Amino acid sequence: MTQWQLLQGDILLGELSEYGCDQPFFLAHFTPGPGWESAMGLFEAWAALRGPDPDGSRTVAVMKPLRDLGLTLAPVGGGQPVLQVFRNCTLRIDGSEARLRY
């Protein structure tokens, strides 16, 4: 399965190791990296978002700060393109588990 590095510029926030699929998401184990603290709270807020959001305002309020971080997913060992998180893919991280859709 694919392994990814979650990056903010050159700073490693963590690594994802895909292990399965729950369509339309790929499931991955997440291992925090040295820069994780800077984004952890934003991903926790995204993971905690539940329930109806008819006008999408709660979702936007949580996702915009994440999008503004300019995060990328780079495949370990190359072979696939680098993905811009929340532009080319959707990523949820909840503790040691991640869900990725690209």
Side-chain angles (χ1 to χ4, degrees), residues 18-91:
E18 290 181 19
Y19 67 85
C21 189
D22 181 16
Q23 285 294 348
F25 292 93
F26 291 95
L27 306 175
H29 296 292
F30 176 73
T31 304
W36 177 238
E37 292 292 321
S38 66
M40 182 176 67
L42 297 174
F43 274 100
E44 286 173 346
W46 173 228
L49 187 64
R50 302 273 190 262
D53 187 13
D55 67 356
S57 61
R58 290 183 329 139
T59 301
V60 169
V62 170
M63 287 189 68
K64 183 171 180 350
L66 278 169
R67 285 187 62 190
D68 291 347
L69 292 177
L71 304 177
T72 58
L73 282 173
V76 174
Q80 295 179 358
V82 172
L83 301 174
Q84 293 180 334
V85 179
F86 302 113
R87 286 179 176 79
N88 305 118
C89 64
T90 302
L91 175 63

